[in-house]
Amino acid sequence: MSRRALLAALSCGVAPLAFPAGAAAPGLTLSGRLEQGGYVLGRTASRAEVLIDGVPATQASADGWFVVGFDRDAPPSAEITVQTPDGSASHRVAIAPGTFDIQRIDGLPPSQVSPEDPVLLARIAAEGARKAAGFSSRADGDFFRTGFIWPVKATRRSSRFGGQRILNGEPKRPHYGVDLAAPAGTPVVAPAAGVVTFAETGLHFEGGLILIDHGQGLISAYLHLSRVDVAAGQRLTQGQLIGAVGKEGRATGPHLCWRLKWRDRNLDPSLWVADAGMRQ
């Protein structure tokens, strides 16, 4: 691995993976968190095609950086291949199983658990379509390569990524975010540079919601905001103010729900922070 690639890996708080000398062109180096909900950062030739288990997935940036995410329910291994007209290189990575808890939340309004009103359902569907458009962004960049910082100064992590949710006694899909408890009005900042792809207030489930594309479809989400200070299309730098903590939407108290997706895969955003320790 080159010195530059090694420094980039260390800046993300991850350990580089070792590869045999003389790897076939175009060359491939990887670092990351190899676990369910984790990710790999790759460095290869400029604009190389990236395949996962033989299926085209993304393209490296002009500087050769790319990201691959592993879903909460990812299989135990994945083969990552890069291709250029000059050749290809591959490496199979082992993906460790995650540890996920069970999260029970009671006392929610029925409309926030299993809505039935036709007007409300139509509103939720319309909001879902707008959110889907935001998540479909594929910014041509590699803002993710410098790592992430915490988006809020939280008092504690009130909920971990991936826990099975039971709402008002009704099993629901897993919680794909990290909940960071903080007083209402606490500033929320961009944990990495990127482009805003969605910024709205008053959503039924999320309240104030912001989506940021950090390059190649790696999109972070910020839910339950009491204030949104950015607009779709706006470019952000790491640490830039984007909004404020609230308890809007489906929330029982003030906190930031921080989420991360790569394409259609749900990732644990806390794994991107070099010092991920936080009191539970």
Side-chain angles (χ1 to χ4, degrees):
M1 174 179 283
S2 69
R3 181 174 181 273
R4 184 177 179 185
L6 177 60
L7 290 175
L10 293 176
S11 72
C12 295
V14 297
L17 301 177
F19 290 87
L28 174 63
T29 58
L30 301 175
S31 62
R33 297 293 296 269
L34 301 178
E35 59 187 275
Q36 290 177 324
Y39 65 95
V40 152
L41 290 182
R43 189 79 190 275
T44 184
S46 175
R47 300 302 185 187
E49 294 295 326
V50 181
L51 298 83
I52 304 175
D53 294 326
V55 179
T58 187
Q59 183 184 62
S61 69
D63 289 333
W65 291 96
F66 67 89
V67 61
V68 169
F70 305 125
D71 197 79
R72 175 193 183 274
D73 302 311
S77 70
E79 184 175 61
I80 299 174
T81 302
V82 293
Q83 293 182 342
T84 70
D86 298 324
S88 65
S90 297
H91 188 78
R92 179 163 292 277
V93 297
I95 303 170
T99 302
F100 308 117
D101 55 18
I102 297 177
Q103 302 166 2
R104 300 178 184 273
I105 302 176
D106 297 315
L108 292 168
S111 63
Q112 290 287 355
V113 178
S114 298
E116 298 179 352
D117 179 73
V119 174
L120 177 57
L121 290 174
R123 171 190 165 189
I124 292 171
E127 293 175 353
R130 298 199 302 274
K131 290 183 290 184
F135 276 115
S136 70
S137 175
R138 300 291 183 264
D140 181 16
D142 49 21
F143 310 113
F144 51 78
R145 72 180 190 268
T146 57
F148 283 44
I149 61 174
W150 291 106
V152 67
K153 291 184 177 179
T155 57
R156 62 189 177 92
R157 191 184 318 186
S158 55
S159 181
R160 297 171 57 232
F161 169 84
Q164 174 64 54
R165 279 277 166 99
I166 299 178
L167 306 181
N168 291 358
E170 184 176 341
K172 293 292 185 178
R173 66 178 185 172
H175 181 234
Y176 292 122
V178 173
D179 286 346
L180 303 174
T186 301
V188 177
V189 303
V195 180
V196 178
T197 66
F198 184 96
E200 290 189 19
T201 58
L203 300 180
H204 178 69
F205 290 120
E206 298 89 356
L209 172 66
I210 295 171
L211 304 180
I212 303 174
D213 188 343
H214 303 286
Q216 303 176 22
L218 182 69
I219 297 178
S220 58
Y222 310 84
L223 287 68
H224 311 306
L225 300 172
S226 62
R227 194 181 73 240
V228 169
D229 296 331
V230 294
Q234 184 175 342
R235 292 220 168 216
L236 303 174
T237 58
Q238 187 178 63
Q240 183 173 341
L241 179 69
I242 62 172
V245 170
K247 56 178 181 178
E248 318 305 315
R250 187 163 68 189
T252 57
H255 72 282
L256 176 69
C257 178
W258 181 26
R259 301 189 178 192
L260 189 66
K261 293 188 75 169
W262 179 72
R263 312 283 167 143
D264 60 346
R265 301 182 178 192
N266 296 287
L267 313 183
D268 182 349
S270 69
L271 297 180
W272 287 75
V273 183
D275 178 14
M278 181 174 290
R279 182 166 56 88
Q280 296 293 319

